[in-house]
Amino acid sequence: MGAAAIPARDPGLQPERTALSWRRTIMSAVIASLLIWRGWALSLTREGSADVAGLFVPGHSAHVIGLGVCAVMASLTTIVLVVCASIRIRTLHAGVGVLETAGHIAPPALMLRTASIAIVALAAATVVALVLGF
């Protein structure tokens, strides 16, 4: 008796669903980041620290500085998520045959860790921004 033939992997729509979930994650991160930036900008104008030219004078309150830090953190984490997602989406669109022969079906652990840390950091920035009351 010969060795049983291993059936070919049928991924179905899994790569497309994964790419769509990465896109939804990016969209959520961008929206959260934009809302934090909006809250920071509103707190600057409420504080009355914007001059006529639209530039901001020094001497902001801790509230405004905290929201600014949250806005920068949200932007950085969003950029990290966009990079991770674009790498993964590009790999998934390469084709299942290429993925199986190259051994890239599972995403690299470093990319998953980086994306997870970015999501947790974005969530923390969002919670802090909510606590500061943007």
Side-chain angles (χ1 to χ4, degrees), residues 17-82:
R17 285 192 309 265
T18 302
L20 288 172
S21 68
W22 276 104
R23 287 184 183 114
R24 284 190 306 268
T25 301
I26 290 172
M27 187 171 42
S28 300
V30 166
I31 290 170
S33 182
L34 288 175
L35 288 174
I36 293 172
W37 275 97
R38 179 181 177 268
W40 179 64
L42 287 175
S43 68
L44 280 173
T45 56
R46 263 187 261 137
E47 191 175 272
S49 59
D51 64 6
V52 178
L55 301 174
F56 302 109
V57 295
H60 301 298
S61 68
H63 173 264
V64 173
I65 293 171
L67 281 174
V69 170
C70 289
V72 169
M73 178 64 73
S75 295
L76 292 175
T77 57
T78 301
I79 290 168
V80 168
L81 283 172
V82 167

Side-chain angles (χ1 to χ4, degrees), residues 59-124:
H60 301 298
S61 68
H63 173 264
V64 173
I65 293 171
L67 281 174
V69 170
C70 289
V72 169
M73 178 64 73
S75 295
L76 292 175
T77 57
T78 301
I79 290 168
V80 168
L81 283 172
V82 167
V83 169
C84 289
S86 64
I87 290 170
R88 187 60 184 158
I89 289 169
R90 194 174 327 122
T91 304
L92 288 170
H93 285 163
V96 176
V98 173
L99 291 174
E100 287 180 344
T101 57
H104 294 298
I105 291 176
L110 179 61
M111 186 185 73
L112 289 178
R113 285 186 197 124
T114 304
S116 297
I117 290 169
I119 289 172
V120 170
L122 178 60

